[in-house]
Amino acid sequence: MKLHYQVDGDNFLVAGEASASLKRTLKQLGIDSSIIRKISISMYEAEMNMVIHAYGGVIDVEISTDKVHILLKDKGPGIPDIDLAMKEGYSTASHEIRELGFGAGMGLPNMKRYSDHLNIYSEVGVGTTVEIIVFLM
Amino acid sequence: MYSHSVTLEQTKCIGCTDCIKRCPTEAIRVRGSKAKIIEDRCIDCGNCIRICRNGAKRAVTDDIDMIQKYKYRIALPAPSFYAQFPKAKNIEQILSTLYKIGFTDILEVGCAAEVITKHTNEYVQTAKNFPIISSSCPAIVRLIQRRFPSLIHHVLPIISPMELAARYIKIQYLEKGILENEIGVFFISPCPAKATEIHRPKGLDRSYVDGVLSMQDIYKMMIYKMNTNQNIDVKRQSSYKGLSWAMHNGGLDENTIKSHIAVDGMESVIGILEKVEDGTLSNVQYIEALACTGGCLGGALALENPFISRYTLKKWIEEDLAKGICSNEKLIQEIASLPYAFNKDITPRPVFSLDRDMQKALTMMEDIETLYKQLPKIDCGSCGAPTCRCFAEDVVKQDAKIEECVFMLRKRIQDLSEVMHNLTQTVIPTHNDNNRKE
Ligand SMILES: Nc1ncnc2c1ncn2[C@@H]1O[C@H](COP(=O)(O)OP(=O)(O)O)[C@@H](O)[C@H]1O
Ligand code: SF4
Ligand code: SF4
Ligand SMILES: [Mg+2]
C-alpha cells in the first residue's frame, strides 16, 4: 500500500507527524516491534531534516509484505558534501536550533545505522531526495 | 477469569460518549447507547472513571468483608493513602485507626519503596538499554505492552514496592509457622490498575497480595474512628525516604540517577514514550512514568485533590526529618535481602494489529484509508467510536456498519432519494402526464 505525506517547513516544534502516523499504521499491520523501531527512527530523523534544513517537502511510503520503502523529497538548499554530512556530530544547524535540542549531527548516521538501505541524492540549490529501505524479514 | 477492575454500570450509562475520547488505548465504544469496554485493550488506567459524570464507570476492588476470612489481617498502606487524611495529627494516628477497623498488623509500603529505590539505582548503573522505564505503575506497563511493544526491553524488571512489602510480611508470618491460609495481606489501593495487578501480575507468576481494597472504602470506615481517644500505640517503619516515593518522582533517587525524566499524566507519558520510540531520548538514563496526573496521589480512587495531598505529605516528610525518629535500618536490611527481580518476561500484546497475516492486514489497511478519506474527520463521536479513523477501522473489521456514521447515513439517504426521484421520472407507457393538463 502507498501513503503520501505533506510536510510543512515552517514549524519544527510540531514536526514529526508523518513519522507518528506511519508508526501507527505499521503497528496495525502487525509488523515486528523491533523493525518498526528501525523504521520509526530513520523516518523521524529524515522528516526532521526536511523540516530543519530544507523548508519541508513530500514523503511517499510504500509498504509491501517484504519491505517498507520511504522516499523523502525536498526543494531545499541541498547537501554539498554528503560524506561529510554523514559524519557523526556534523551539523550545520544554527545556534537557535541547537538550543531547542536539535542539531546533534546524529540524524544521518542513525538513519544509516537503522535502515537496510540509505540513498541520498542531492544537488545544491535544487534539493535533496532521501531513500530509505527497511526489510521486514 | 478475572481480567479487569474497571467496569461499566449499565443502568447509569446514558451513552454520552464523553469517555471514549479519553481512553488512551481506544478501548471504549458506545453501542446501543451504552459504553462497552473492549477488554483486551483496557489498561485499567481509570481515565474513564474520572471523566464519567454519571458515575457509570466503576473500579471493582475486593470487598472489605474479605479480610474477616483470615486470622492474621495485614494492611499495606502506601504514602498516597496517608495523604487522604490532611487533618490527621500525624501518620501514627492514621495507622492506629487501621487497627481499629479490624486489621491485626501493618507494614508500611514506604519501607519497601526505600529498598526498591536502592535496587533501581543499582540496576540503572549496570543497564545497557537506555532509557530504563519504571515499572511501578501497572497501567503504564500495560500501555507499553499494547501501544509501545518495542519498548518492553526498557521496562525496569523490578517488582513494585507493594509486591515487595507483601512478600516480606508474608514470609515473616510463614517463618513463625503460621499457616498460609490464615494470613491475609491487603493493599490499600489508589487505583484500579493495582487491583488488576494482583490477579494478573506482570513479570511475576503470582502475587503475595491477597486482596486489594479501595482507598475510598477504607477511608469511609476510618473517618469516624479517627478521633476516638483510645489510640493504639504504633511504631513507624518507613522513614521520610519512603514517603517521598509518592511525591511524583517515585522510585527515582535524583542524587544518584542524574539523567532522568519524571513524567505523570497519561497524555504526557504517551508523548514521552513516542519520543523514546523515535530514539530521541536515548541519552536519558531513567524515566519514571506514572499514569495519573500527580502520580498515585491523583489515582482514580483518591479522595483528596492531588496538589493538596502533595502539600500534606511534604509537611509530614518535614516533620519526620525534624523528629529524626525512625531508625528502620534493620527492617530495611531484611527487606533488601529478599528477591526483587521479575521472574517472568513481559510479553507484547499488540491489540492494534489488524490481522496476523500481513497480506490480509495490508488489504484491510487500504480499505481503511479509502473509507477514512470519505469520512468528515471531525471525530464527533456519534458513531460510538472515538475518532473517524477508529470508526473506519471498526467498519473494515466488521465491528461497525458504515451507516452508523450520521454523515454517511445522510449521504446514503440522499443517494437513495435521488434514485427514487429518478424512478418517479420514468415514463409510464399507458399514461401521458402532458395530456392530462388539457
Ligand atoms: N534534507 C536536507 N537538506 C539539506 N541539508 C541537509 C538535509 N539533511 C541533512 N542535511 C545536512 O546534513 C547535516 C547532518 O544531518 P544530521 O546528521 O541529520 O544532523 P543534524 O540534523 O543534527 O544537523 C545537517 O546539518 C545538514 O547540513
Ligand atoms: S480504564 Fe483506561 S484503558 Fe480502560 S477503558 Fe477506561 S480509559 Fe480505557
Ligand atoms: S499512577 Fe499510581 S494510582 Fe495512577 S494508575 Fe499508576 S499506580 Fe495507579
Ligand atoms: Mg538531523
Side-chain angles (χ1 to χ4, degrees):
Chain A
M1 77 177 292
K2 288 178 182 164
L3 296 164
H4 179 80
Y5 303 98
Q6 190 86 38
V7 179
D8 292 342
D10 49 2
N11 191 356
F12 54 84
L13 288 180
V14 297
E17 259 171 52
S19 315
S21 162
L22 177 67
K23 197 157 79 177
R24 185 187 158 128
T25 302
L26 297 174
K27 285 182 184 180
Q28 286 181 304
L29 291 174
I31 293 169
D32 185 83
S33 58
S34 59
I35 295 176
I36 295 184
R37 182 118 200 261
K38 287 171 64 181
I39 301 167
S40 305
I41 293 174
S42 315
M43 165 101 164
Y44 177 79
E45 289 296 347
E47 183 183 356
M48 291 314 288
N49 277 357
M50 208 151 105
V51 176
I52 294 172
H53 307 293
Y55 349 109
V58 292
I59 308 179
D60 283 286
V61 181
E62 187 162 358
I63 309 169
S64 48
T65 50
D66 61 335
K67 65 172 185 289
V68 173
H69 181 267
I70 304 168
L71 204 63
L72 303 103
K73 282 189 201 156
D74 69 56
K75 294 191 175 118
I79 307 172
D81 183 344
I82 294 178
D83 287 339
L84 180 63
M86 291 298 298
K87 290 227 163 72
E88 285 192 11
Y90 178 83
S91 174
T92 59
S94 67
H95 181 70
E96 286 78 10
I97 284 177
R98 279 172 211 233
E99 292 277 278
L100 289 162
F102 301 101
M106 288 306 291
L108 289 174
N110 274 334
M111 280 153 68
K112 179 90 199 153
R113 180 162 152 221
Y114 287 105
S115 62
D116 294 316
H117 279 294
L118 174 70
N119 296 312
I120 302 171
Y121 317 93
S122 192
E123 205 176 314
V124 174
V126 179
T128 303
T129 298
V130 176
E131 185 186 29
I132 297 168
I133 298 175
V134 176
F135 294 113
L136 301 182
M137 330 251 178
Chain B
M1 189 175 55
Y2 191 104
S3 63
H4 276 291
S5 310
V6 176
T7 55
L8 181 83
E9 235 172 86
Q10 287 275 343
T11 48
K12 286 190 181 166
C13 176
I14 59 165
C16 67
T17 74
D18 275 355
C19 59
I20 58 178
K21 283 189 200 207
R22 297 295 300 275
C23 173
T25 52
E26 297 181 334
I28 315 174
R29 300 290 183 279
V30 174
R31 294 267 171 270
S33 90
K34 298 286 169 200
K36 251 185 64 183
I37 299 177
I38 305 169
E39 300 252 319
D40 280 354
R41 289 194 175 196
C42 174
I43 58 172
D44 287 304
C45 69
N47 267 3
C48 56
I49 298 181
R50 274 185 280 254
I51 198 92
C52 181
R53 56 196 143 113
N54 303 299
K57 288 270 174 46
R58 257 179 5 111
V60 180
T61 47
D62 289 307
D63 195 337
I64 176 78
D65 290 340
M66 178 186 176
I67 74 169
Q68 301 307 336
K69 283 204 316 209
Y70 300 89
K71 185 165 169 207
Y72 302 95
R73 305 177 288 275
I74 304 146
L76 304 180
S80 55
F81 180 62
Y82 309 154
Q84 307 309 310
F85 301 93
K87 296 209 177 81
K89 272 205 292 290
N90 48 32
I91 294 170
E92 283 84 343
Q93 190 192 12
I94 300 167
L95 298 178
S96 108
T97 313
L98 279 172
Y99 286 107
K100 289 185 206 161
I101 64 166
F103 290 101
T104 61
D105 199 356
I106 292 170
L107 181 67
E108 289 187 75
V109 176
C111 51
E114 280 180 49
V115 174
I116 293 293
T117 303
K118 287 187 187 160
H119 291 320
T120 304
N121 276 342
E122 280 163 23
Y123 182 83
V124 171
Q125 303 312 323
T126 58
K128 289 182 195 75
N129 245 347
F130 289 115
I132 311 292
I133 303 167
S134 62
S135 58
S136 66
C137 172
I140 296 301
V141 177
R142 274 161 226 275
L143 175 77
I144 290 174
Q145 288 178 295
R146 285 159 183 79
R147 257 183 88 161
F148 301 94
S150 72
L151 303 183
I152 279 182
H153 305 298
H154 292 254
V155 175
L156 179 74
I158 290 180
I159 62 176
S160 67
M162 164 187 87
E163 197 55 49
L164 185 61
R167 191 174 280 193
Y168 172 75
I169 195 80
K170 201 165 236 178
I171 291 173
Q172 289 293 304
Y173 274 72
L174 289 172
E175 280 177 354
K176 282 187 219 157
I178 295 165
L179 294 176
E180 188 161 7
N181 61 14
E182 291 183 323
I183 317 162
V185 178
F186 298 93
F187 179 67
I188 304 173
S189 179
C191 66
K194 288 279 187 191
T196 311
E197 185 59 12
I198 70 154
H199 296 282
R200 301 188 121 192
K202 297 275 159 290
L204 277 180
D205 295 323
R206 64 172 274 258
S207 170
Y208 280 76
V209 183
D210 297 292
V212 168
L213 306 169
S214 154
M215 225 179 218
Q216 292 180 357
D217 292 351
I218 301 288
Y219 178 89
K220 280 184 236 151
M221 293 178 72
M222 280 175 57
I223 200 71
Y224 302 107
K225 302 203 169 163
M226 284 292 275
N227 291 321
T228 54
N229 281 326
Q230 344 110 5
N231 270 345
I232 301 155
D233 256 350
V234 288
K235 199 171 160 294
R236 289 289 309 283
Q237 301 146 318
S238 168
S239 74
Y240 68 93
K241 288 184 204 149
L243 288 187
S244 57
W245 178 282
M247 303 276 289
H248 134 119
N249 55 349
L252 187 63
D253 176 352
E254 300 194 313
N255 297 318
T256 314
I257 308 173
K258 291 244 158 39
S259 157
H260 64 255
I261 292 174
V263 54
D264 59 23
M266 193 48 96
E267 273 168 40
S268 307
V269 172
I270 289 172
I272 293 287
L273 294 181
E274 293 281 358
K275 283 186 190 295
V276 177
E277 225 173 23
D278 293 337
T280 54
L281 291 178
S282 43
N283 56 331
V284 174
Q285 281 190 308
Y286 183 73
I287 297 176
E288 177 76 31
L290 299 168
C292 301
T293 304
C296 296
L297 298 178
L301 294 172
L303 294 122
E304 192 50 84
N305 176 303
F307 298 93
I308 293 180
S309 291
R310 187 176 303 182
Y311 167 80
T312 307
L313 277 186
K314 195 156 170 274
K315 187 185 75 188
W316 280 330
I317 288 173
E318 273 156 19
E319 278 175 22
D320 272 6
L321 272 169
K323 276 188 278 183
I325 37 155
C326 185
S327 59
N328 61 355
E329 286 87 6
K330 188 169 163 284
L331 176 66
I332 295 288
Q333 262 172 28
E334 281 173 15
I335 299 177
S337 69
L338 293 176
Y340 57 87
F342 281 178
N343 60 16
K344 240 172 78 180
D345 284 341
I346 300 176
T347 47
R349 299 216 177 271
V351 290
F352 297 101
S353 161
L354 294 167
D355 201 285
R356 274 180 200 205
D357 176 359
M358 190 174 161
Q359 188 54 59
K360 243 192 217 158
L362 269 174
T363 313
M364 287 171 85
M365 201 69 215
E366 274 167 7
D367 292 347
I368 291 168
E369 289 291 332
T370 313
L371 175 55
Y372 178 63
K373 282 189 189 120
Q374 299 169 45
L375 297 176
K377 302 177 191 68
I378 56 169
D379 299 343
C380 72
S382 310
C383 59
T387 59
C388 293
R389 170 103 213 164
C390 191
F391 175 69
E393 290 164 21
D394 287 352
V395 171
V396 172
K397 285 193 287 188
Q398 302 188 329
D399 291 336
K401 285 199 201 72
I402 193 151
E403 290 83 9
E404 282 162 1
C405 166
V406 285
F407 296 89
M408 297 305 272
L409 179 69
R410 190 170 65 181
K411 192 168 171 297
R412 189 79 209 281
I413 293 172
Q414 230 168 41
D415 293 350
L416 280 177
S417 62
E418 222 162 87
V419 173
M420 276 157 68
H421 175 77
N422 290 344
L423 280 176
T424 64
Q425 302 304 303
T426 314
V427 181
I428 300 168
T430 57
H431 197 232
N432 188 333
D433 280 345
N434 292 336
N435 291 347
R436 253 226 312 242
K437 273 187 201 139
E438 290 165 19

